[in-house]
C-alpha cells in the first residue's frame, strides 16, 4: 500500500467500496479480495428497470462523471438509478497502489476490460439483483467497457452509448498508449515499479502528461487558445498548471495497469477474433458517439464499428477539445449535445426478449 | 567529432561540402567554419534563371530528395539546375556530431531556420552568382525554410512550394516536438549530450521513433496495413525494422539541434511577430501543399497561412501515410500528385521586378 491522497474521499468522493470476493482474471492472475468503488445516484425502482451504468476512463474516476448527471437532464437521478463504477486500476477500486502483497504495485496481475465487466456484473446482480440495464454509457476506456457489456451480456443491456472509444483497439492507438507507458517506465525513478512515492516518478509522469497534451486535445484547441476552458491563462500554464499536476498526482503503477488493459480492449476475443460476429450479437440499441476532433479515436474508426452493429446509429459530437472533450470543460456546448443524444436513446423502446 | 557511418557518402551520398566561412547566428552563437553539404543535379544555364532549391527536413538528408527528381518529371535535371541543401544539424552540413571544439556536441550553438536560409543564400550567391530562384521547394522543416526564403528574399524567389509545413510553427507542433526531445534527453545514456556513441542513447532514440510512429503516420495507415509500403511484413516490424533502426542510426545531438530549430520556425519574427505582414511581403507565386492525413500540420493550419499570401493557391496532397507521405513510399500515387502541382507552378509566368 502506498498512501496517495489523490484517491481519497476528499478529492474523489463520495464513493462506496464493495468487495466482490475473489476475481479470477482472464490472463490467469487472481485478485483475492476484489474491491469495486462506485457511486450511485437516485433509487432503484421496484421493477429494477431504471438502471444506468457508467464505467470510468483511463486515469479517471467516478468524480469525472458528475458533469454528465443531473436533475432534468438525460442522466436524471430522479428517474434513474445511476451506478458509476471505477475500473480496476483506477486507484479507487482494487489497484496496484492500494493492494496488499502478493499483488502490490508492480506485482499486480494483468487485467482486461472483460475482467472489469465481469466484476461489474457481479456487483450489479449480487448486490442489487439487477437483471436489466436501461443504458450503459462510458467514454474512452469507459466506451471499451460499454461495448464489452453489450457483447458479453446481450440479454441484459437495452441501450449502449460508447463515447470516444472503440470496441476493438486499433494498432495506432496501441502505439500511442505505448508512448504513454514508456514515458513512465523510462524514468529511472520508476525503478521497475518499486518506487516509494509517485513523486519519484514525476519526470516520467510529466512526459506522460505532455504526450497527452498533443494527442489528447486537438491542433485547433491550441490555435484558438481554448486552454482557457481549463481555467488557465496561458498555453504554457495549461501544461504546467493543469496537465502536469493532474497526472503527477496519480500512481504510476495504477496508470500502467489501465494502459495495458486499454491496449488490449477487444470484444472480438469472445468470438475468436471475429469483430463483425461479435458486434453482430449485440441486441442493445447503440448510439456510437465519437468526438469529431479526437486524434486517436477518429470518427471513421468508430463509424466502421457502428456499421457492424445491427441496431445502431452514428452520432458525432463536436468538440474542439478532441478526446479531452470528455472532461466537459466546454460546459453546455458539449454536454447539451451529449444530453440530447442520450435523451433520444433513452426514449427508444427496446424489447430484448421478443 | 563522433564517427557515425550513417552520415557517410556511402549511405547519404553523393554530396559535396562547401565552407561558407564564419556564420554568425541569430541567437548569438557562431559557427566559425560553417560547412554546407549539398547535391546538385543538371547544369546552371547562362542566364542563371533555371535554379531550383530544395532544403531538407528534420532527420532527413539530400538522399531523401532523390525521389522527387527525375528526367521528364517536374524537377527535371535536363531543364533545371537543382540544388539540394542539407540543413545545419542534418549530420552532413555543420552539425553537433561533426563539429570541432568549442562547438562540438552539446556545445553546438542554437540555430534558427533563418540562419539556414542566410547560409544557403551565401552558398548560392557566392558560389554560383545566382540572383534568382525559379522554385524553392521543401517538405516539413524544408517547408519552413521555403517560407523563410520567400519572405526574406522576396526579390529572388519566383516560386515557392512548401509541402507539409508551416510558416509559423504552431504551439501544438511545439509540444509534439517537445515529446520527441524529451524522449531523447530523458535517456540516462544521453548524459546531457556527452555520450560517446549514439548507441548509448538507443532507448531514447527508440522512444523517439515510436512517437513518430503515432503522429508521423495516420490512424488509417495502420488500419489499412499500409506499413507494407515501407518494405516490412507486419505492423510490429514497421516499428522494429523500419522506424527504430532509422532513428537509432542518427546522432542525438544532431536531432536535438534540428528539433529546437523546428520548434521556433517563424517568418513573422522579421516583422515584429506580424505574420500577416510577413506573408504579405511574398512576391513569389506560392502553392501551399499540405498533406490531407498529416496529424500535426493539418490542412486547416496551412490553409490559414495560404490566405495571407498574395499570389498563392492551396493544393492538398492526398496521402494515407500522413506526414510520412514525404518519404514517397507510395511511389507514383504520391509523386504524381506532387509532380503535377509542381509542373503547373513551374509553368506559371512570374515577373518579380515590374
Amino acid at each position: 500500500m502506498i498512501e496517495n491522497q489523490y484517491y481519497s474521499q476528499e478529492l474523489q468522493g463520495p464513493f462506496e467500496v464493495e468487495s466482490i470476493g475473489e476475481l479470477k482474471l482472464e490472463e490467469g492472475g487472481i485478485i483475492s479480495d476484489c474491491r469495486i468503488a462506485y457511486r450511485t445516484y437516485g433509487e432503484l425502482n421496484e421493477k429494477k428497470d431504471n438502471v444506468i451504468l457508467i464505467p470510468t476512463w483511463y486515469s479517471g474516476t467516478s468524480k469525472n462523471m458528475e458533469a454528465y448527471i443531473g436533475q432534468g437532464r438525460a442522466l436524471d437521478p430522479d428517474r434513474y438509478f445511476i451506478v458509476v463504477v471505477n475500473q480496476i486500476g483506477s486507484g479507487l477500486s482494487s489497484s496496484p497502489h492500494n493492494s496488499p502483497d502478493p499483488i502490490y504495485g508492480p506485482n499486480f496481475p494483468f487485467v482486461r476490460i472483460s475482467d472489469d465487466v465481469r466484476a461489474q456484473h457481479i456487483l450489479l446482480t449480487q448486490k442489487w439483483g439487477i437483471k436489466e440495464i436501461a443504458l450503459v454509457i462510458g467514454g474512452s476506456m469507459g466506451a471499451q467497457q460499454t461495448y464489452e457489456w453489450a457483447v458479453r451480456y446481450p440479454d441484459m443491456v437495452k441501450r449502449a452509448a460508447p463515447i470516444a472509444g472503440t470496441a476493438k483497439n486499433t494498432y495506432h492507438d496501441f502505439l500511442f498508449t505505448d508512448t504513454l507507458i514508456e514515458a513512465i517506465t523510462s524514468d529511472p525513478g520508476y525503478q521497475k515499479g518499486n518506487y516509494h512515492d509517485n513523486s519519484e516518478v514525476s519526470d516520467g509522469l510529466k512526459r506522460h502528461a505532455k504526450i497527452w497534451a498533443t494527442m489528447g486535445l486537438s491542433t485547433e484547441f491550441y490555435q484558438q487558445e481554448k486552454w482557457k476552458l481549463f481555467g488557465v491563462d496561458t498555453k504554457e500554464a495549461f501544461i504546467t498548471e493543469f496537465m502536469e499536476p493532474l497526472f503527477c498526482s496519480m500512481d504510476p503503477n495504477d496508470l500502467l495497469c489501465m494502459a495495458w488493459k486499454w491496449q488490449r480492449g477487444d470484444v472480438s476475443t469472445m468470438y475468436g477474433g471475429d469483430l463483425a460476429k461479435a458486434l453482430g450479437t449485440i441486441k442493445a440499441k447503440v448510439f456510437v458517439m465519437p468526438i469529431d476532433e479526437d486524434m486517436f479515436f477518429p470518427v471513421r474508426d468508430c463509424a466502421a464499428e457502428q456499421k457492424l452493429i445491427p441496431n445502431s446509429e452514428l452520432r458525432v459530437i463536436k468538440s474542439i477539445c478532441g478526446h479531452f472533450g470528455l472532461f466537459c470543460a466546454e460546459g453546455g456546448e458539449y454536454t447539451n449535445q451529449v444530453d440530447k443524444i442520450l435523451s433520444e436513446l433513452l426514449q427508444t423502446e427496446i424489447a430484448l426478449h421478443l
Side-chain angles (χ1 to χ4, degrees), chain A:
Chain A
M1 281 274 305
I2 280 184
E3 280 298 324
N4 183 330
Q5 277 304 303
Y6 181 75
Y7 301 112
S8 66
Q9 285 281 352
E10 289 68 40
L11 289 175
Q12 302 300 337
F15 58 84
E16 312 289 320
V17 181
E18 179 92 5
S19 174
I20 59 163
E22 177 182 278
L23 185 69
K24 287 185 177 163
L25 303 167
E26 221 180 286
E27 291 289 316
I30 291 173
I31 302 175
S32 54
D33 173 35
C34 184
R35 288 156 294 120
I36 301 296
Y38 64 92
R39 180 175 179 185
T40 66
Y41 299 78
E43 302 289 334
L44 184 62
N45 65 12
E46 267 187 44
K47 289 171 71 181
K48 299 188 176 182
D49 67 354
N50 70 331
V51 177
I52 292 178
L53 176 69
I54 313 181
T56 56
W57 58 63
Y58 177 78
S59 81
T61 70
S62 43
K63 184 84 178 166
N64 293 109
M65 304 316 298
E66 285 176 0
Y68 286 82
I69 298 163
Q71 278 188 320
R73 294 177 58 188
L75 308 186
D76 187 342
D78 285 351
R79 296 187 57 187
Y80 295 103
F81 178 57
I82 303 169
V83 186
V84 186
V85 184
N86 294 280
Q87 66 170 304
I88 297 169
S90 61
L92 304 192
S93 294
S94 281
S95 300
H97 97 274
N98 65 18
S99 287
D101 281 329
I103 60 165
Y104 165 72
N107 299 317
F108 199 76
F110 290 120
V111 181
R112 282 186 175 267
I113 293 287
S114 53
D115 297 317
D116 270 285
V117 169
R118 288 189 301 109
Q120 292 162 20
H121 184 265
I122 292 167
L123 179 73
L124 263 56
T125 54
Q126 295 189 359
K127 183 169 180 63
W128 293 294
I130 291 166
K131 291 173 181 163
E132 177 182 296
I133 305 178
L135 172 67
V136 185
I137 169 188
S140 200
M141 283 188 76
Q144 291 184 312
Q145 294 164 73
T146 299
Y147 276 119
E148 183 80 19
W149 261 102
V151 173
R152 185 169 287 271
Y153 303 112
D155 293 318
M156 195 165 169
V157 179
K158 294 183 82 170
R159 300 173 193 83
I163 306 178
T166 46
K168 177 179 174 145
N169 203 38
T170 67
Y171 190 62
H172 184 270
D173 208 350
F174 185 96
L175 286 175
F176 167 61
T177 315
D178 254 2
T179 68
L180 294 172
I181 291 170
E182 291 172 1
I184 293 172
T185 57
S186 64
D187 187 338
Y190 176 65
Q191 302 168 67
K192 296 183 179 173
N194 294 298
Y195 53 86
H196 302 92
D197 187 282
N198 57 322
S199 65
E200 295 171 28
V201 197
S202 60
D203 285 349
L205 290 168
K206 282 180 186 173
R207 291 197 295 275
H208 172 280
K210 198 172 275 180
I211 293 173
W212 268 114
T214 60
M215 289 280 285
L217 285 300
S218 76
T219 55
E220 200 63 8
F221 171 83
Y222 292 100
Q223 289 293 72
Q224 293 189 24
E225 308 194 343
K226 289 292 184 179
W227 58 80
K228 292 165 188 166
L229 291 167
F230 289 82
V232 295
D233 295 328
T234 65
K235 56 188 187 298
E236 292 80 9
F238 178 67
I239 306 302
T240 58
E241 293 173 24
F242 178 75
M243 295 296 289
E244 290 180 354
L246 177 67
F247 287 109
C248 283
S249 307
M250 298 180 190
D251 183 79
N253 286 323
D254 287 5
L255 289 172
L256 294 170
C257 168
M258 289 183 280
W260 190 93
K261 193 200 298 182
W262 166 10
Q263 290 185 303
R264 290 157 185 85
D266 182 1
V267 297
S268 80
T269 53
M270 277 178 271
Y271 290 88
D274 188 335
L275 184 64
K277 193 170 179 183
L279 293 175
T281 65
I282 293 177
K283 293 185 180 177
K285 174 78 178 181
V286 182
F287 278 4
V288 172
M289 299 164 66
I291 294 174
D292 64 344
E293 291 280 357
D294 199 320
M295 291 189 79
F296 54 99
F297 293 112
V299 172
R300 62 183 164 204
D301 286 352
C302 300
E305 293 187 337
Q306 180 263 315
K307 289 197 183 84
L308 302 174
I309 303 170
N311 192 11
S312 70
E313 293 177 36
L314 182 71
R315 300 297 177 100
V316 179
I317 304 169
K318 287 183 194 302
S319 173
I320 197 168
C321 296
H323 198 68
F324 271 43
L326 289 169
F327 276 85
C328 302
E330 293 152 290
E333 200 172 317
Y334 171 86
T335 55
N336 289 346
Q337 295 178 71
V338 173
D339 283 6
K340 196 177 166 196
I341 298 168
L342 295 181
S343 293
E344 187 185 334
L345 180 56
L346 282 163
Q347 282 162 25
T348 310
E349 285 300 320
I350 307 291
L352 290 179
H353 312 282
L354 289 175

